[in-house]
Amino acid sequence: MDNAVPTRPGAGTALLEVEDLSISFPSPNGTVHAVNGVSFAVAPRERMAIVGESGSGKSVTAQALLGLLPTATISGRIMFDGHDVQTMPASDLRALRGAEMSYVFQDPLSSLDPVRTIGDQVCQPLRIRGVSRKEAKARALDMLAAVGIPDPARRYGDYPHQFSGGMRQRVMIAMALIGEPRLVIADEPTTALDVRVAAKIVDLLYALSEEREVAVVFITHDLGVVAGFADRVMVMYAGRVMEACAIDELYYRSIHPYTLGLLQSLPRVTGPIPEQLSTIGGRPPSPSDLPSGCAFHPRCRYVRDVCRTDTPALRIPPNGQHPSACHVAGWLAEEPGVLR
Ligand code: SF4
C-alpha cells in the first residue's frame, strides 16, 4: 500500500491496520464520498491523533473502525489484531466492541441514558459479558475512582443530569475502559468542554492509557489539544490524508500548506500576543461536491496549475522525512521555514 502511514518506528506489529479505506453514503444530492483511500496503522499502546476540520472524514473513519456505519458503502480493509472487522460475524463484532475496542463519544449528555443511573451504565459492558452484579459494581466503583469521580460510592446511584459536563465525560471514559480494551477511540471528547476541563480530560486519558497500556486514537479538530498527548498525528482534509508523522515532526517540520494553516491558527503562549489569530481562508468543501485535483486548492496560497487538475498522492517527497499529499511538498522540504 503506497499511501500507508506506518506506526511509530520500532513499535512492532500493528494492533489496528486500515488499508485503502473509502466510505461513501447515498444522499438526495448524489453519492457523498466521505473518505477516500485512507491507510494507517496503530501499534499496541500507541496514541495516535487524527486531526482535521469538520467534514474532513475523521469521525466517519473512526466510526467505521467499530462497524458503526450500517448505511455506508465501505471498501478497503480494517484489520484488528489480524481479524477483518468488516467480514466478521455480527456476534463477533459485538463482542469486539467494549472488550477489545471501545469508543468515547463527543457529546456525553446525549450518549448517556438519562433514565439510568451512572453506576448501572458503567457496569453495563461487564454485565453484557456475564460478570456478576456484585463484581461489576466493585469494578465500576474502582473505575469511577480511577477517572476522578469524587466519592464514587455516593455518586454511583446518581443520574447523568446530576453530573457536570466534565464529570459526564469522565464517566464516558470509565465506560470505555472498564472492559479493559486494547484500543480506545476518543471522538472529539473535549469539544463540549471549556479549555481548563478539556485539558484535564486529555491529561486523564494520557495517564490511563499509560497505566493500562491502552492504545488511543484521538479524533480532534484542534492540533493544540493533542500536542502533549499523541505519539503520531494524521491530518485529514476532504476525506483524504494530507500529512502524517510523529507529532514533534509535524510541529517543527510540517511540509503541507493545510497543516501549516492549522498550526498558524493556534494561539501562542510565548512572544507578543497578536491582535488577531491567523485563519485559513474559505471553508472546507462539501463531501458531495469536492473540488477537482487537490481538494484544498481553492484555499491554498501555494496553489499551482497542476493542483487544480491532479490529486496529489500521499508520499514521502525527495529530501522529506514523512508522507505528504502535496505537489509542492518536495519544495517545502527543501525550504524549511518557508511557510512559518
Ligand atoms: Fe496547495 Fe497544491 Fe499542495 Fe494542494 S497540492 S496543498 S493546492 S500546493
Side-chain angles (χ1 to χ4, degrees):
M1 49 186 175
D2 63 350
N3 59 347
V5 179
T7 60
R8 69 179 186 273
T13 312
L15 178 63
L16 174 73
E17 277 185 288
V18 175
E19 187 178 334
D20 203 19
L21 180 70
S22 292
I23 305 171
S24 59
F25 299 91
S27 88
N29 300 324
T31 303
V32 174
H33 298 283
V35 173
N36 296 287
V38 166
S39 299
F40 63 94
V42 181
R45 302 183 300 281
E46 186 175 31
R47 285 177 293 271
M48 178 184 172
I50 304 182
V51 179
E53 292 168 286
S54 150
S56 62
K58 57 191 190 305
S59 289
V60 174
T61 299
Q63 287 162 24
L65 302 180
L66 276 172
L68 298 175
L69 300 173
T71 62
T73 302
I74 301 177
S75 64
R77 284 206 315 167
I78 301 169
M79 304 292 290
F80 182 83
D81 197 22
H83 301 285
D84 190 332
V85 170
Q86 292 182 88
T87 58
M88 68 174 53
S91 56
D92 289 3
L93 186 57
R94 278 196 298 278
L96 189 80
R97 293 183 194 136
E100 298 281 346
M101 260 203 273
S102 60
Y103 207 99
V104 178
F105 288 94
Q106 192 174 119
D107 178 2
L109 187 56
S110 59
S111 306
L112 289 167
D113 186 337
V115 297
R116 289 175 61 208
T117 65
I118 291 296
D120 195 21
Q121 295 184 65
V122 175
C123 281
Q124 185 176 341
L126 299 179
R127 295 288 291 143
I128 288 171
R129 284 155 65 182
V131 175
S132 72
R133 193 176 296 276
K134 190 175 169 197
E135 188 189 337
K137 179 171 181 179
R139 285 170 61 181
L141 288 171
D142 286 348
M143 197 68 239
L144 287 170
V147 299
I149 302 291
D151 198 358
R154 188 174 61 80
R155 306 302 309 264
Y156 189 86
D158 285 353
Y159 290 87
H161 73 271
Q162 295 171 283
F163 281 60
S164 67
M167 286 295 160
R168 283 194 289 263
Q169 197 54 286
R170 287 174 190 267
V171 170
M172 293 296 293
I173 293 169
M175 288 169 66
L177 287 173
I178 196 162
E180 300 181 350
R182 284 189 286 167
L183 174 69
V184 171
I185 299 160
D187 187 0
E188 300 259 21
T190 58
T191 300
L193 307 174
D194 75 46
V195 176
R196 252 177 346 105
V197 178
K200 286 184 181 166
I201 293 294
V202 173
D203 288 349
L204 173 68
L205 257 181
Y206 182 96
L208 291 172
S209 67
E210 282 282 298
E211 183 187 307
R212 291 164 191 255
E213 302 190 338
V214 182
V216 180
V217 175
F218 194 111
I219 315 287
T220 179
H221 62 276
D222 185 349
L223 257 179
V225 166
V226 288
F229 176 86
D231 302 308
R232 278 186 314 117
V233 60
M234 180 171 92
V235 178
M236 289 186 70
Y237 185 81
R240 291 182 186 275
V241 178
M242 295 285 114
E243 186 168 19
C245 56
I247 190 103
D248 289 348
E249 186 159 331
L250 193 91
Y251 276 98
Y252 295 110
R253 286 190 294 277
S254 168
I255 50 172
H256 197 286
Y258 175 59
T259 311
L260 265 298
L262 292 178
L263 289 170
Q264 285 166 350
S265 44
L266 292 177
R268 294 180 187 277
V269 289
T270 56
I273 299 171
E275 286 188 8
Q276 226 180 333
L277 280 177
S278 166
T279 55
I280 303 173
R283 303 177 72 83
S286 161
S288 61
D289 187 22
L290 295 175
S292 59
C294 172
F296 187 56
H297 86 248
R299 306 173 73 190
C300 183
R301 53 190 173 130
Y302 295 89
V303 61
R304 310 280 203 268
D305 285 347
V306 65
C307 305
R308 298 187 173 89
T309 53
D310 295 7
T311 305
L314 182 69
R315 60 178 164 231
I316 299 175
N319 301 323
Q321 308 276 326
H322 62 262
S324 169
C326 174
H327 291 302
V328 302
W331 172 66
L332 295 175
E334 285 175 12
E335 300 282 342
V338 68
L339 292 180
R340 293 160 182 86

